[in-house]
Amino acid sequence: MNIKETTETVIQFILNLIEKAKGYVDDIIEFFSKIRDRIESFLEYIEEKLAAITGFIEELKQQQAEHMLAV
């Protein structure tokens, strides 16, 4: 192999590595995007449950206050 062929081979090898790295980076970005979406969904679920619990506690407080007035 002459210098030109060697240089072209090395450059092609580097370009292939760069393409593979781009693919890995895209996969990593997609992975973390999915995790972010799942975390956001989970946080929304928690917010809904907290709102339900808060409503339940307020209802209990109201019933307790009404009970105390009745006694």
Side-chain angles (χ1 to χ4, degrees), residues 17-66:
L17 285 178
I18 291 170
E19 284 301 315
K20 283 184 182 181
K22 284 181 184 178
Y24 293 140
V25 169
D26 289 343
D27 290 344
I28 291 169
I29 290 170
E30 182 180 346
F31 172 76
F32 282 108
S33 293
K34 287 180 180 179
I35 287 177
R36 183 197 64 222
D37 292 343
R38 289 180 180 174
I39 290 171
E40 286 175 352
S41 295
F42 182 65
L43 290 174
E44 288 174 10
Y45 171 80
I46 290 173
E47 286 176 355
E48 290 171 5
K49 294 303 175 188
L50 286 174
I53 291 169
T54 302
F56 179 71
I57 291 172
E58 291 301 319
E59 190 176 312
L60 286 177
K61 285 180 181 179
Q62 184 180 5
Q63 289 178 5
Q64 182 182 17
E66 290 172 359

